[in-house]
Amino acid sequence: LDSLHLEIRLGSCRLSPRLINPELVPGFIRTMSEEAAAKAGRPAGPSIFSKILDGSIPTKFLHEDDKCVAFNDIAPQAPVHFLVIPRKPIEMLEDAAPEDEGLLGHLLLTANKIAKERGLSNGYRVVINNGVEGCQSVYHIHVHVFGGKQLTWPPGC
């Protein structure tokens, strides 16, 4: 699957290929790359993260509290690559409201806590993709945390 780009559909839910192993999903459909999915914009229906939060897609959490959950990315782009997502359904960073300030801070502090627990004492990168040109493919805000190796700059520019 390293060079294979997939889109998976379960009912009306489009699943990002980087978040779930398609070989474990009966009837998965190969349709487009993650970049193409991002360029397509906001899909209709619930996101994969909504399905993870409601329990219909089982996931092992690294962290769980009343505001957010964290779990490993299914297709890690670094030796350590996990996601932190809020329970509140905010589709994009640009959709966040002033009252979300505390929640957004909580996501970053949770990312920091897990990074320490995962031994990332030499550093790590935090990324939030926003919109089509930001290559956002899942429209539920999420924080990527990458670490465990020397990262390069600029990232993906």
Side-chain angles (χ1 to χ4, degrees):
L1 292 178
D2 292 330
S3 63
L4 189 60
H5 297 287
L6 306 171
E7 179 182 284
I8 305 160
R9 291 191 182 274
L10 285 177
S12 63
C13 180
R14 184 176 59 82
L15 310 179
S16 171
R18 299 181 61 214
L19 301 173
I20 192 165
N21 183 346
E23 301 299 335
L24 301 178
V25 179
F28 71 91
I29 302 167
R30 296 174 185 173
T31 60
M32 65 178 74
S33 72
E34 189 156 346
E35 184 178 339
K39 287 179 181 176
R42 297 182 197 209
S47 74
I48 184 175
F49 295 154
S50 298
K51 298 289 187 179
I52 287 171
L53 288 168
D54 73 15
S56 57
I57 296 177
T59 304
K60 181 180 176 188
F61 294 128
L62 301 172
H63 173 89
E64 185 173 8
D65 64 32
D66 62 328
K67 295 178 184 172
C68 69
V69 298
F71 48 89
N72 287 316
D73 193 298
I74 194 68
Q77 302 300 301
V80 176
H81 181 182
F82 62 90
L83 304 173
V84 182
I85 68 168
R87 292 185 181 277
K88 179 179 179 180
I90 303 170
E91 288 191 357
M92 300 172 64
L93 184 56
E94 69 186 49
D95 295 334
E99 60 267 16
D100 296 319
E101 179 178 4
L103 175 59
L104 296 174
H106 183 76
L107 296 176
L108 294 176
L109 291 173
T110 299
N112 184 50
K113 173 185 173 286
I114 298 166
K116 287 179 183 177
E117 292 171 356
R118 302 291 300 274
L120 299 180
S121 59
N122 289 327
Y124 55 91
R125 179 170 293 152
V126 175
V127 174
I128 299 174
N129 298 326
N130 186 79
V132 173
E133 289 188 4
C135 206
Q136 183 176 3
S137 62
V138 178
Y139 282 80
H140 183 122
I141 192 172
H142 52 288
V143 176
H144 289 266
V145 179
F146 304 94
K149 71 174 190 175
Q150 179 60 57
L151 301 172
T152 60
W153 193 261
C157 294

